[in-house]
Amino acid sequence: MRTLTVCNFVTVDGRYEDDDHDIGSFFEHQHPDYCGADSFDFYTTELLRRSDTLILSGRRSTLGNLGYWAGVQGDPDATAIRREFAGLILGVEKIVVSDTITEGDLAPYDNVRIVRVADARAEVAALKSEEGRGILILLGRVLWNDMMNAGLVDELHLVTFPLIAGSGVALFDAKPLVALKLLETRVWEESGNVLMRWRVDPD
């Protein structure tokens, strides 16, 4: 059996992105001591190294992320850890959950296939029944909220950044039918980020 891990950045006040579906505005009042810190890059790379499958969702998020990381891979000014992450995300098996993305949209990228939204739960359940390393969801709030309600998420890793959004999109759609057991906390002093790693159990 494989495990499904969700990892997400979140603000102190529980926001996933701003009202324009971006996160850039969150960093307008970032403490100067934390500028340039890359602990989140190291953590997400650590997770991706242990995963055989990455699940992406949504047209805008998927194409934006793949395009961005394809650019980072060849950027000589990018940090070593970001170039490693770019190589991993482009090389790993990728499942894209979307009803609007086409094969043509994904033609520039390797190891990727499309699953329609109605089939996502069955696809994830089938992946989990196989032998292999981890299945990882980064971002994809709508998708992983649904996966939690379906009882398919094994671990939820929330990394709180020292940022206050004030408004924006909440991390959770509603109250999911799960109970959380704390497995680990971690603090990165160089960034002010705090990890809470939870086991997700059916309630």
Side-chain angles (χ1 to χ4, degrees):
M1 290 287 292
R2 302 170 69 188
T3 59
L4 174 61
T5 297
V6 169
C7 179
N8 229 112
F9 145 93
V10 63
T11 65
V12 170
D13 50 342
R15 301 297 174 173
Y16 172 83
E17 57 190 7
D18 66 19
D19 293 319
D20 295 321
H21 301 289
D22 197 2
I23 63 169
S25 65
F26 292 165
F27 292 85
E28 291 173 355
H29 303 292
Q30 183 183 32
H31 196 284
D33 286 355
Y34 301 142
C35 290
D38 54 6
S39 57
F40 191 64
D41 292 336
F42 277 90
Y43 188 64
T44 52
T45 301
E46 176 186 328
L47 293 177
L48 196 48
R49 287 181 191 132
R50 302 199 301 258
S51 303
D52 282 338
T53 304
L54 175 68
I55 303 179
L56 303 169
S57 65
R59 180 182 182 86
R60 177 181 57 84
S61 177
T62 295
L63 296 181
N65 272 285
L66 291 177
Y68 174 80
W69 290 108
V72 167
Q73 191 177 35
D75 182 0
D77 295 325
T79 62
I81 193 63
R82 289 178 74 77
R83 287 198 301 273
E84 179 184 353
F85 183 84
L88 290 169
I89 199 172
L90 294 171
V92 73
E93 177 192 43
K94 291 172 287 295
I95 307 294
V96 173
V97 178
S98 173
D99 287 339
T100 60
I101 285 181
T102 66
E103 298 288 348
D105 293 325
L106 299 174
Y109 309 107
D110 296 325
N111 302 324
V112 58
R113 62 186 175 90
I114 300 166
V115 171
R116 298 308 175 193
V117 172
D119 301 323
R121 288 187 177 189
E123 176 68 26
V124 170
L127 287 171
K128 291 187 63 179
S129 70
E130 299 172 352
E131 295 297 322
R133 298 190 304 164
I135 305 164
L136 180 63
I137 299 179
L138 299 173
L139 306 173
R141 178 189 67 89
V142 173
L143 174 67
W144 63 253
N145 269 258
D146 182 65
M147 293 296 127
M148 287 185 72
N149 277 311
L152 293 169
V153 175
D154 297 291
E155 291 192 11
L156 176 63
H157 299 206
L158 296 181
V159 180
T160 301
F161 278 43
L163 306 168
I164 300 172
S167 65
V169 179
L171 193 65
F172 294 98
D173 290 330
K175 185 177 181 179
L177 303 175
V178 299
L180 302 177
K181 174 147 180 95
L182 187 64
L183 299 176
E184 177 190 1
T185 61
R186 195 184 306 184
V187 176
W188 292 275
E189 294 184 3
E190 69 274 16
S191 64
N193 293 353
V194 179
L195 166 71
M196 292 180 292
R197 175 176 160 242
W198 308 94
R199 190 182 75 204
V200 182
D201 294 333
D203 186 10

